[in-house]
C-alpha cells in the first residue's frame, strides 16, 4: 500500500520494447536504497515490481495491460516520473490509502497560476465520475490530492509550490495524460451497498494490471 506522498522525482533512463511488454530502467537513488528484486515501487501511481537494481537505478517490466490502461506507455527516455516506496507498517499515513491500481487516465485541460498556488483542471472519464467528490481524495500520477471542484467530466486540484517543484505535476502541460486512482473506500462502499440491495451499482473500475500493481503520491494536498 502507498500513501500518495511522492518521495522522489525520478527519470526514465531507458525503455526496451519486448514482445508484449516493455522494460523500463528508472533512476531514483532514494527509492532504490535498500531495494531488491521483487520489491514494489510506485511509478506515476502505478505499482511496479523491481527486477534489478544498481547504481541508483532499477528496472521494471510493464505488461501490455498496464501500458494500455495507464499513461506509462507514453514514457520515453528522459521522462520524469513520481516515485514512492510502499508505506512501512506503523508509518504515518500522510496522504490517503493508495493501492497503485490505476482506475483510468485523464488529461490536463488547463492550468491557472496564482500567486502562491496553481489550479489544474483534469478531464475525468465518465465511469469514474461517481467516485469523485469535492474535498474528497484522488491520486493523480501517484500524488494524493484533494479535489477542489468535481464536475461531470472534469475535476480541479490546487497545487502548492512544494507539489509543483517536487512532482511531475509541476511540468505537465495541457494535453498531457495523467494516471488516476479514485478512493478505494468509495468503490468498496458501492459494491457492499449494491450487494445488500440485490444488485451491484456498477462495475468496479478496472485496475491496471501489473504483478501486484500498486502505487501513488501526495506531495501536497492543498488548502484542505
Amino acid at each position: 500500500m502507498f500513501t500518495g506522498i511522492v518521495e522522489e522525482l525520478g527519470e526514465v533512463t531507458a525503455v526496451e520494447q519486448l514482445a508484449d511488454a516493455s522494460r523500463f530502467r528508472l533512476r531514483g537513488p532514494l527509492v532504490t536504497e535498500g531495494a531488491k528484486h521483487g520489491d514494489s515501487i510506485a511509478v506515476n501511481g502505478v505499482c511496479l515490481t523491481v527486477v534489478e537494481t544498481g547504481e541508483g537505478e532499477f528496472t521494471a517490466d510493464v505488461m501490455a495491460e498496464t501500458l494500455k490502461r495507464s499513461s506509462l506507455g507514453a514514457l520515453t527516455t528522459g521522462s520524469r516520473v513520481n516515485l514512492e516506496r510502499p508505506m512501512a507498517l506503523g508509518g504515518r499515513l500522510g496522504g490517503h490509502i493508495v493501492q497503485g491500481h490505476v482506475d483510468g487516465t485523464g488529461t490536463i485541460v488547463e492550468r491557472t497560476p496564482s500567486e502562491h498556488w496553481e489550479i489544474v483542471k483534469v478531464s475525468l472519464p465518465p465511469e469514474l465520475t461517481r467516485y469523485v467528490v469535492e474535498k474528497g481524495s484522488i491520486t493523480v500520477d501517484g500524488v494524493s490530492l484533494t479535489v477542489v471542484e468535481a464536475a461531470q467530466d472534469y475535476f480541479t486540484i490546487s497545487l502548492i509550490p512544494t507539489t509543483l517543484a517536487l512532482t511531475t505535476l509541476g511540468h505537465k502541460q495541457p494535453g498531457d495524460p495523467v494516471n488516476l486512482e479514485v478512493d478505494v473506500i468509495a468503490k468498496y462502499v458501492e459494491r457492499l451497498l449494491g450487494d445488500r440491495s440485490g444488485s451491484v451499482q456498477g462495475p468496479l473500475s478496472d485496475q491496471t494490471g501489473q504483478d501486484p500493481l500498486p502505487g501513488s503520491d501526495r506531495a501536497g494536498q492543498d488548502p484542505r
Side-chain angles (χ1 to χ4, degrees):
M1 187 185 78
F2 302 85
T3 69
I5 303 297
V6 171
E7 294 186 275
E8 185 171 20
L9 188 58
E11 180 183 355
V12 177
T13 58
V15 179
E16 179 184 358
Q17 300 300 327
L18 306 176
D20 59 350
S22 293
R23 174 165 291 181
F24 289 87
R25 176 171 288 278
L26 306 107
R27 179 162 182 76
L30 176 62
V31 299
T32 55
E33 183 178 350
K36 59 185 184 301
H37 173 77
D39 285 348
S40 296
I41 295 177
V43 179
N44 279 359
V46 180
C47 174
L48 300 179
T49 300
V50 174
V51 176
E52 299 175 341
T53 63
E55 299 181 351
E57 297 186 339
F58 70 98
T59 59
D61 292 332
V62 184
M63 67 174 74
E65 178 71 5
T66 304
L67 294 171
K68 174 185 176 182
R69 292 185 177 275
S70 74
S71 66
L72 295 190
L75 296 178
T76 59
T77 300
S79 294
R80 285 169 286 198
V81 290
N82 296 321
L83 302 174
E84 182 192 358
R85 292 169 292 187
M87 185 181 76
L89 187 63
R92 289 186 173 89
L93 183 60
H96 72 282
I97 297 175
V98 176
Q99 296 182 300
H101 299 171
V102 172
D103 292 304
T105 59
T107 302
I108 301 295
V109 177
E110 65 181 24
R111 306 181 67 108
T112 306
S114 183
E115 182 178 1
H116 299 296
W117 63 82
E118 188 167 335
I119 298 294
V120 178
K121 182 178 181 180
V122 183
S123 66
L124 183 64
E127 65 271 19
L128 299 183
T129 298
R130 62 184 180 275
Y131 302 117
V132 181
V133 297
E134 290 185 9
K135 302 304 181 287
S137 296
I138 191 167
T139 306
V140 181
D141 261 5
V143 184
S144 173
L145 297 164
T146 299
V147 176
V148 175
E149 178 186 4
Q152 194 66 25
D153 58 355
Y154 74 87
F155 65 94
T156 62
I157 47 180
S158 180
L159 306 179
I160 60 174
T162 297
T163 306
L164 295 171
L166 301 181
T167 76
T168 60
L169 298 183
H171 310 283
K172 294 276 186 175
Q173 298 301 315
D176 288 343
V178 290
N179 293 320
L180 303 177
E181 181 185 336
V182 298
D183 193 340
V184 65
I185 295 176
K187 293 189 290 184
Y188 277 121
V189 169
E190 177 185 68
R191 173 55 63 91
L192 289 170
L193 291 177
D195 287 345
R196 288 180 61 185
S197 65
S199 63
V200 177
Q201 300 300 313
L204 295 184
S205 303
D206 287 318
Q207 296 180 339
T208 316
Q210 164 55 30
D211 318 332
L213 215 260
S216 281
D217 166 44
R218 166 167 278 199
Q221 45 255 335
D222 312 77
R224 286 187 71 88

